[in-house]
Amino acid sequence: MKLLRLLVLLFVLPVSAQQGGMWIPSLLKGMNEKEMKTLGMKISAADIYDVNKSSLKDAVPHFNGGCTSEVISSKGLLLTNHHCGYGEIQSHSTVDHDYLTNGFWAMKQEDELPNKDLEVTFIVKIEDVTNKVLEGVAALTSEADKQKKIQENINMLSRTLPKESWQENKIRTFYDGNQYILFLTETYTDVRLVGAPPSSIGKFGSDTDNWVWPRHTGDFSLFRIYADKNNRPAAYSKDNVPYKPKHFFPVSIKGVKENDFTMVMGYPGRTQEYLPSYAVAQIINDLNPAKIEVRDAALKVQDGFMRKDNAIKIQYASKYASIANYWKKWIGETKGLKKSNALAIKQKFEQEFQDKVAKSGKQAEYGNLLADFKKNYTEIAPYALSRDYYTEVVLRNTELLSFGYRLFQLEQVYNAKGEQAFNDRKNNLIAGFEDLYKDFNANVDEKVFEQLIALYATKSPKQFLPASLVNADTKKLTEEVYSQSKLTSYNGLKELLNGDAKTVIERINKDKGFQLVKTMADSYLKNVAPKYDELNLKNIALQRTYMKAILELFPNNRIFPDANSTLRVTYGKVKGYSPSDAVIYEPMTYLDGVIEKYVPGDYEFDVPAKLISLYNNKDYGQYADKGRMPVCFIGTNHTTGGNSGSPALDAEGNLIGLNFDRVWEGTMSDIHYDPAICRNIMVDIRYVLFIIDKYAGAKHLVDEMKIVQNKKK
């Protein structure tokens, strides 16, 4: 297949280093391996990925589907970010045992805390299955039929390709549907909390420092994987034993310095590096500003309540952090795209693309791509904006509306599948809602609703609004909904759902909150979703052809596949940067900076008394660097969401840090990577060990690790 030959070429051609990239670990031999060795790597591509013997990939499981983690002992000890384990830490916290505030440390294995629904997934094997997935697709004409056939092939292959009973075949698309790769996986579901620093360390700087440099956050938590007596995945049981990994990372306390080689392995979630300029312009000018405004309003309300009431702070801590994370990311992304002239760079590339199309005689195949993109993105604009407002207001940031939407879906199940399916879904909802209402406060949500429903009524494209929101008195609407709806409490919800299907349907349709959700959902599903989906399907088809054309016409370019939550390798160097004129950032931070930022009693910048004492006494143990305690460092590794918790490795494959963020000026790297300002942020492993050992007194966990101690000369 000509395309696959082109893909292979991409991995062997010598090109310049450190221009970003998220590379498939099974395809590093050739160009990538040579480039990595040029940057200073001492190990081989086979040491990173090998299907026949243990390799680095065997120590990097996907953490609960959204983060990355790494195995750091022969007894299944697992390291990830504090913010990745935040939900588990919160779930074990109460006002009396507040592990978010005070931290948690299991001093023996019996004290490690099990976690419902927490899982980690290892990659066993990676294999190209493009030809099998695309079998029978070329003969089809409509995009919908092609997508259906591809999915049928994927489902069949996932079932029939070889695997053990405890394993799973997962097939993912690469290069916008031009390549398909199989991942054979093993998922462990008994994962227990071992240790977490207090939020004043693990979340130091909180939302103020999020996405920025310099950073002083000890963003880590510890878990342990348990398995059955055969070392295979098993549901939680007291009889389970610590997992014995195929590989675990030695932990280096040699330290880092500028220009040292770094490699990050992990599961980056989603990037869009090859979008046309029309899509990028829409993100900059319309979509990001709308989402930022919605979340800004929600965050201000929640923050006001959290600062006054500790119980609300515990309830909303995880939700607030989740909302704030991408709110701030979108702000930085927009600024970065403008600062780096991403739009102009895209437009210049598109001109070059058109020239190459003409010179190669590919006008019939590729000549109209950009014109079609322009037409489609112009047409989809109001639908895309309405979709984002609906998603942000109804589904993500107003809990009463999101609860009501689940009941709307329940009604749809009844209409489509009948009473038995309705009852099954209803029972699951009642059980699931108990946990949701545990962290719900009607007073907080009412004030969030008041702000967000006003934005929805005035900023979302008016032609798609339900009649009840056109020129609506949103203050009056808020009062009516929260004084009359049963959705404001768990008992009220159970009352709504009590009875047979007909009774429940009649009752929920009389509820003020449900009535509003239903009119909003009906309007969206009738007026927005169908046209958006139609146009988006056209863009998906165009993007696949555009990607195919780029691969063919630019064979010497560094073209890596967009992130899709599969295991990737990115590499670079420890390096500072200059975000603006006359400002230069060093690549490392120290505990001195924590003390400089210290604000007594502030929930973002408070510092535990014991940490202050350790600092004053310079009691750093073996983890100091010339009398100072390192905290974080930055590098040129190309990362994104999903890389949280990823191991940062040195030239020998030893663990030197834990990836947890990017710098604000470089968050646009999901769309456009600029090597001048794109940096990933890592907590120094020496700070992690210092907190475990000297702060928490949990040296038994450090003793469990393989420490590489020889110092740099």
Side-chain angles (χ1 to χ4, degrees), residues 655-676:
L655 187 68
I656 54 173
L658 185 62
N659 186 83
F660 70 96
D661 208 351
R662 285 173 285 168
V663 301
W664 203 38
E665 297 84 1
T667 53
M668 82 292 186
S669 62
D670 290 349
I671 296 169
H672 172 65
Y673 179 89
D674 184 343

Side-chain angles (χ1 to χ4, degrees), residues 329-340:
K329 188 260 187 184
W330 289 323
I331 295 171
E333 178 179 86
T334 302
K335 287 177 179 283
L337 288 170
K338 291 177 179 178
K339 177 181 171 62
S340 62

Side-chain angles (χ1 to χ4, degrees), residues 492-615:
L493 174 99
K494 288 191 293 184
E495 186 181 325
L496 284 174
L497 294 179
N498 182 41
D500 60 25
K502 184 180 178 183
T503 302
V504 170
I505 297 300
E506 288 178 357
R507 190 183 294 124
I508 63 176
N509 274 280
K510 293 176 183 176
D511 184 87
K512 188 70 177 179
F514 180 81
Q515 288 171 355
L516 175 62
V517 173
K518 187 172 182 177
T519 60
M520 295 174 78
D522 279 339
S523 180
Y524 173 78
L525 293 173
K526 178 184 176 182
N527 300 321
V528 179
K531 190 64 176 178
Y532 176 86
D533 291 343
E534 174 194 327
L535 293 167
N536 191 50
L537 198 61
K538 290 181 181 179
N539 281 336
I540 288 171
L542 286 174
Q543 190 71 39
R544 183 177 63 243
T545 305
Y546 186 47
M547 192 75 246
K548 180 173 179 284
I550 291 172
L551 291 166
E552 286 183 16
L553 300 174
F554 296 84
N556 295 326
N557 284 18
R558 284 176 109 249
I559 306 174
F560 57 92
D562 269 320
N564 60 357
S565 294
T566 58
L567 184 61
R568 303 294 181 92
V569 172
T570 178
Y571 49 86
K573 290 188 174 186
V574 177
K575 205 165 189 64
Y577 72 108
S578 176
S580 55
D581 183 45
V583 176
I584 298 174
Y585 282 144
E586 297 290 331
M588 269 99 47
T589 61
Y590 297 87
L591 191 55
D592 311 66
V594 173
I595 303 304
E596 289 169 4
K597 291 179 176 179
Y598 172 41
V599 180
D602 184 89
Y603 87 94
E604 292 188 304
F605 293 102
D606 203 359
V607 178
K610 185 170 183 181
L611 187 58
I612 295 172
S613 176
L614 290 167
Y615 173 79

Side-chain angles (χ1 to χ4, degrees), residues 46 220 248 330 337 348 387 393 410 443 556 619:
F220 77 93
F248 66 89
W330 289 323
L337 288 170
K348 182 180 178 184
R387 179 176 183 266
V393 174
L410 179 64
N443 293 327
N556 295 326
D619 186 6

Side-chain angles (χ1 to χ4, degrees), residues 196-235:
S199 294
S200 52
I201 292 173
K203 206 176 182 318
F204 182 78
S206 192
D207 300 299
T208 296
D209 274 6
N210 190 23
W211 299 107
V212 300
W213 186 257
R215 197 67 173 275
H216 300 87
T217 312
D219 196 347
F220 77 93
S221 57
L222 290 163
F223 291 80
R224 191 184 305 279
I225 308 168
Y226 282 77
D228 67 14
K229 62 182 180 180
N230 297 313
N231 207 40
R232 292 175 185 166

Side-chain angles (χ1 to χ4, degrees), residues 135-151:
E135 191 172 320
V137 173
L140 302 173
T141 53
S142 86
E143 181 60 23
D145 288 342
K146 287 181 180 180
Q147 294 294 330
K148 182 181 177 183
K149 180 62 176 175
I150 286 170
Q151 195 56 53

